[in-house]
Amino acid sequence: MAAIKKSKNELLREARSLELEGRTNDAIKGYGLVVSKDPLNAVAYNRLMILYRKLKDYRKELAIIKKAIGAYEKDIKKDQLTWKKAHNESARLSLSLAKSMGLLNDKGLPIYEEPHILTWRKRLDTVRKKIKTPEKPQK
């Protein structure tokens, strides 16, 4: 029997339902499926980060944060290249202007970032601190 293909939204709803039922590991798998279908799904990334934090699995949380930020950076770079190919002269002038105004970082990516990416970067710092300084056992 052929597997029924589910939309990203259906998978997201199912994962959230599993999460609410307390089936954390199944919810993680569900959100993972959403991310594999849609590498820019901020909701799925956020839920994965939250679930790994609840499980105190900081290494997996760190990996998800890096994956999410990387996916968005890759998408921005792809959009830039596509626009550059279509508008070569304008791109050259715009790049020069943006660099001189300090609007791009060392990688050539815009300094401005979407709010969820800024949140993920803060979370990245927090998780790195948690990994370096393990939690003290409670008495």
Side-chain angles (χ1 to χ4, degrees), residues 100-127:
S100 69
M101 294 179 69
L103 298 174
L104 301 176
N105 66 15
D106 296 337
K107 294 179 183 179
L109 295 170
I111 297 285
Y112 169 80
E113 291 184 311
E114 296 293 327
H116 59 274
I117 297 174
L118 290 174
T119 302
W120 293 342
R121 289 197 192 282
K122 288 178 189 172
R123 191 175 190 118
L124 183 70
D125 291 338
T126 302
V127 173

Side-chain angles (χ1 to χ4, degrees), residues 49-61 130-131 135-136 138:
M49 292 174 203
I50 289 167
L51 291 174
Y52 285 129
R53 177 72 57 93
K54 284 181 180 178
L55 294 173
K56 296 186 182 196
D57 194 338
Y58 302 120
R59 297 203 185 281
K60 287 186 180 175
E61 182 183 358
K130 285 186 177 286
I131 289 174
E135 231 176 82
K136 294 178 183 176
Q138 295 179 350

Side-chain angles (χ1 to χ4, degrees), residues 23-129:
R23 297 172 55 191
T24 304
N25 290 328
D26 292 332
I28 287 171
K29 289 176 189 173
Y31 290 126
L33 281 172
V34 174
V35 167
S36 67
K37 280 187 153 209
D38 179 10
L40 298 176
N41 192 304
V43 173
Y45 283 123
N46 285 328
R47 296 312 309 161
L48 284 167
M49 292 174 203
I50 289 167
L51 291 174
Y52 285 129
R53 177 72 57 93
K54 284 181 180 178
L55 294 173
K56 296 186 182 196
D57 194 338
Y58 302 120
R59 297 203 185 281
K60 287 186 180 175
E61 182 183 358
L62 183 68
I64 287 297
I65 296 167
K66 287 179 178 180
K67 183 177 180 178
I69 292 170
Y72 275 84
E73 285 180 344
K74 182 179 175 183
D75 187 61
I76 291 167
K77 199 70 170 167
K78 185 184 85 174
D79 287 348
Q80 284 178 336
L81 290 173
T82 302
W83 188 83
K84 185 179 178 181
K85 284 180 183 176
H87 307 91
N88 195 23
E89 183 61 22
S90 295
R92 187 182 63 74
L93 294 170
S94 296
L95 182 63
S96 177
L97 180 62
K99 282 182 181 177
S100 69
M101 294 179 69
L103 298 174
L104 301 176
N105 66 15
D106 296 337
K107 294 179 183 179
L109 295 170
I111 297 285
Y112 169 80
E113 291 184 311
E114 296 293 327
H116 59 274
I117 297 174
L118 290 174
T119 302
W120 293 342
R121 289 197 192 282
K122 288 178 189 172
R123 191 175 190 118
L124 183 70
D125 291 338
T126 302
V127 173
R128 284 182 173 150
K129 288 176 187 172

